[in-house]
């Protein structure tokens, strides 16, 4: 009744209950919230920012040292 909790449909986990935004700012009270990324979801981007080349990232994936969520 107080709006302390809200529900969301998570793409892989289904319906979840989470804490609502703790504050509201008048006309801007709708805060777009997205589900947390899956483990490894930004793996390529993080490794690229750390200085790894695309070929080095592909080698790490092939060796199994890094796993992305879309990999079997």
């Amino acid at each position: 009744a107080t709006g302390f909790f809200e529900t969301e449909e998570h793409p892989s986990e289904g319906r979840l209950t989470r804490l609502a935004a703790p504050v509201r700012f008048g006309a801007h009270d709708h805060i777009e919230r997205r589900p947390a990324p899956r483990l490894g979801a930004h793996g390529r981007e993080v490794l690229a920012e750390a200085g790894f080349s695309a070929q080095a990232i592909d080698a790490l994936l092939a060796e199994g040292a890094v796993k992305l969520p879309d990999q079997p």
Side-chain angles (χ1 to χ4, degrees), residues 33-64:
R33 296 184 61 176
R34 294 175 276 163
R38 295 183 64 200
L39 184 61
H42 301 110
R44 284 189 178 275
E45 293 89 346
V46 170
L47 290 169
E49 286 181 19
F52 287 87
S53 68
Q55 295 81 14
I57 294 170
D58 289 338
L60 289 169
L61 290 166
E63 294 169 3

Side-chain angles (χ1 to χ4, degrees), residues 3-60:
F4 195 71
F5 295 101
E6 62 187 14
T7 59
E8 77 169 291
E9 287 297 325
H10 191 278
S12 63
E13 306 305 313
R15 188 176 188 101
L16 299 174
T17 301
R18 66 176 176 200
L19 293 174
V23 294
R24 292 190 172 63
F25 298 101
H28 303 286
D29 65 349
H30 176 72
I31 298 172
E32 181 181 343
R33 296 184 61 176
R34 294 175 276 163
R38 295 183 64 200
L39 184 61
H42 301 110
R44 284 189 178 275
E45 293 89 346
V46 170
L47 290 169
E49 286 181 19
F52 287 87
S53 68
Q55 295 81 14
I57 294 170
D58 289 338
L60 289 169

